[in-house]
Amino acid sequence: MRVGVLGSLEVTSTDGSLLPVQGAKERLLLGILAAEANRIVSVRRLVELLWDGSPPSTAVKTLQSHVARLRTALEPARPRGSFGRYVVRRGPGYALAVERDEVDAVQFTGLVARGRARLAAGSPAEARDEIAAALVLWRGMPYADWPDAAFAEAERRKLAEVRVTAVEGRLDADLALGR
């Protein structure tokens, strides 16, 4: 599975087909978990973010329903009643369990960091390749589906800074290559 948040939310299966994630809360839940990929987001924080600080009295139970529907969307062939591979319960909350290239924002940051490291190590051609691969992932405003969400705004700021670093790194690599 691959989760794209560098633009509008886009989820694809391992074979490249689109996985529709229906429901505004399920999509928002996935966005929140993707922003914290492989880190636990507490139930309390999820409830706060999903209901923008005004949760219903049944929010925790309703969150469980949203999690179940999200698991089904991400893994349509998952046996009924199983927890699945991607949305996992850990301690006080949930996490999106993914490899580094399964969330485009995580892959983007990693490619930029590796590119900058290669540039610092005196390998501008390899640096340019890594950074160019990162910039190709950028499809538009990060977390575009949630323009007013606080979690998304923080991620957008962080990713915008990484993008500036990427563009500067690509320019530095081009200069070092005599371009």
Side-chain angles (χ1 to χ4, degrees):
M1 176 195 67
R2 183 162 171 76
V3 179
V5 292
L6 295 175
S8 294
L9 180 67
E10 184 177 274
V11 184
T12 53
S13 67
T14 54
D15 69 6
S17 61
L18 284 176
L19 291 173
V21 178
Q22 303 297 321
K25 292 284 192 232
E26 287 77 10
R27 294 175 64 79
L28 178 56
L29 176 59
L30 180 56
I32 294 165
L33 293 174
E36 298 293 333
N38 294 312
R39 292 187 298 265
I40 299 167
V41 182
S42 72
V43 167
R44 189 171 137 235
R45 178 95 172 115
L46 288 170
V47 164
E48 176 185 319
L49 292 170
L50 286 175
W51 284 278
D52 199 22
S54 300
S57 60
T58 60
V60 172
K61 187 71 174 164
T62 306
L63 171 62
Q64 293 169 350
S65 297
H66 292 306
V67 166
R69 284 194 291 278
L70 179 58
R71 284 176 172 155
T72 299
L74 298 180
E75 298 178 81
R78 175 180 60 92
R80 188 169 171 79
S82 72
F83 294 113
R85 174 200 178 300
Y86 296 110
V87 180
V88 296
R89 176 75 188 208
R90 290 191 183 145
Y94 293 92
L96 183 65
V98 290
E99 301 296 323
R100 73 176 179 196
D101 64 341
E102 289 181 313
V103 175
D104 63 355
V106 175
Q107 183 182 17
F108 174 78
T109 334
L111 284 166
V112 172
R114 286 192 301 279
R116 295 296 294 188
R118 288 184 189 271
L119 189 59
S123 300
E126 291 87 357
R128 189 179 198 301
D129 291 347
E130 296 266 10
I131 293 169
L135 290 169
V136 165
L137 297 173
W138 197 274
R139 298 177 292 112
M141 181 176 75
Y143 297 90
D145 294 0
W146 309 284
D148 300 322
F151 89 92
E153 182 56 36
E155 288 299 305
R156 276 192 288 277
R157 276 195 308 274
K158 179 179 80 172
L159 289 165
E161 289 174 18
V162 175
R163 186 166 191 252
V164 167
T165 299
V167 171
E168 289 171 350
R170 185 179 60 190
L171 292 171
D172 291 343
D174 282 342
L175 287 172
L177 292 168
R179 294 182 180 166

